[in-house]
Amino acid sequence: MIRILLLGMALVVGGVVAYEHGHRISESDVRAHMQSQLEATRRFDSDALCASMAKDYRLQGIYYVAGTHERRDTRRDETCRDAREGLTALQALSGQTGGLLAVDVTYEITRIELSPGGRRALVEATSTAKIGGRLLSRTRAKGQLSRAYWQVRDHGGEAQNWIYIP
């Protein structure tokens, strides 16, 4: 009887420790997530991008194009659809040119701030996209990430995106 009680207590303590560890986000988790998102973009893998979006994902963006600007507030489904359409077009362009006009995306994390308790992270980053050596867009973004069951979830945030059309 005592063995069963000790085993039960060990399982409860182990479960609590695993739960806590699986829900805390660290700077290394943030950096690994950002790198995986970059690699998914380079592979034109919109499914991987969409899979990391939390159900409460919301992106508030300002898009500057040809001297005008547009504010857009998008949720998960719309952002996912836009990513799919954009990456499909870029993949087609890359395929039709034999990879000569492949998108070259780079990013730099400028700030990571972990919340007290380590449940969320505020991430600020800048990124650029080039095609054929020409600057296509530049983005400055602030986003919220969390971690649940050992997976990083993107909750969206704010972004400013400059699109350069030749």
Side-chain angles (χ1 to χ4, degrees), residues 53 56-61 63 70-82 155-157:
M53 291 180 193
D56 65 346
Y57 182 92
R58 178 180 178 202
L59 179 63
Q60 295 174 312
Y63 299 86
E70 174 188 356
R71 293 183 182 273
R72 289 184 59 200
D73 188 355
T74 57
R75 302 288 183 178
R76 182 182 194 272
D77 292 340
E78 186 178 358
T79 304
C80 211
R81 184 180 63 246
D82 291 347
H155 297 273

Side-chain angles (χ1 to χ4, degrees), residues 15-109:
V16 168
V17 168
Y19 179 84
E20 285 296 315
H21 179 69
H23 284 74
R24 290 190 191 274
I25 192 165
S26 67
E27 280 195 30
S28 63
D29 294 326
V30 169
R31 291 184 189 285
H33 172 75
M34 297 292 288
Q35 185 63 34
S36 71
Q37 295 296 289
L38 176 64
E39 291 167 5
T41 301
R42 288 178 176 164
R43 291 188 318 268
F44 308 109
D45 186 357
S46 59
D47 290 337
L49 296 175
C50 294
S52 70
M53 291 180 193
K55 290 180 181 174
D56 65 346
Y57 182 92
R58 178 180 178 202
L59 179 63
Q60 295 174 312
I62 301 175
Y63 299 86
Y64 299 95
V65 181
T68 66
H69 72 280
E70 174 188 356
R71 293 183 182 273
R72 289 184 59 200
D73 188 355
T74 57
R75 302 288 183 178
R76 182 182 194 272
D77 292 340
E78 186 178 358
T79 304
C80 211
R81 184 180 63 246
D82 291 347
R84 280 192 174 93
E85 290 172 0
L87 289 177
T88 298
L90 290 172
Q91 185 175 23
L93 180 63
S94 177
Q96 290 172 354
T97 62
L100 292 175
L101 294 180
V103 65
D104 178 26
V105 179
T106 60
Y107 76 94
E108 177 186 1
I109 296 173

